Amino acid sequence: MKVIAAYLLAVLAGNSSPSAEELKGILGSVGAESDDDKIELLLSQVQGKDITELIAAGREKLASVPAGGGGGGAAFAVAAPAGDAVPTAAAAAETKKEEKVEEKEESDDDMGFSLFD
């Protein structure tokens, strides 16, 4: 990642095709070690290609990757048909929050004594 970051910094600075030495200089300026094999691999893969096209192609590929992360409720809300027959995930979450608030209020009873009596 640091080699890619150095490459992108060089491109942002106006150098459309940075060399290995320039990338090593960028990495060295922040105290990072440079791996010659990774630098050469990156430069061979991006040689003759426009960085904006590479980023756009990467975004298209990334858009098809499932994000995971336990966000199943959002997918349910999108997939649920419109209407009153099926509750949405947001409505279910609100119901759960209301139930939790009610339970907390019930458990806050002083059970017949107080710390300040």
Side-chain angles (χ1 to χ4, degrees):
M1 286 302 276
K2 60 186 174 184
V3 175
I4 296 170
Y7 182 85
L8 291 174
L9 283 171
V11 171
L12 283 173
N15 187 353
S16 61
S17 58
S19 68
E21 291 303 317
E22 291 168 334
L23 296 181
K24 288 178 189 177
I26 292 171
L27 291 170
S29 71
V30 294
E33 294 180 16
S34 59
D35 184 1
D36 292 338
D37 294 334
K38 289 183 181 180
I39 291 173
E40 292 302 323
L41 176 65
L42 174 70
L43 291 177
S44 68
Q45 289 179 346
V46 298
Q47 185 177 12
K49 298 178 183 174
D50 182 34
I51 193 66
T52 55
E53 291 175 8
L54 291 174
I55 292 172
R59 282 187 182 171
E60 289 176 13
K61 289 180 182 179
L62 192 58
S64 66
V65 176
F76 175 76
V78 171
D84 294 334
V86 180
T88 63
E94 285 183 31
T95 305
K96 286 181 183 179
K97 286 180 184 177
E98 289 175 5
E99 289 175 7
K100 288 180 182 179
V101 170
E102 290 175 12
E103 289 175 13
K104 186 175 181 180
E105 290 174 1
E106 291 173 6
S107 66
D108 287 341
D109 293 340
D110 63 1
M111 298 199 302
F113 65 93
S114 176
L115 293 173
F116 302 109
D117 282 345

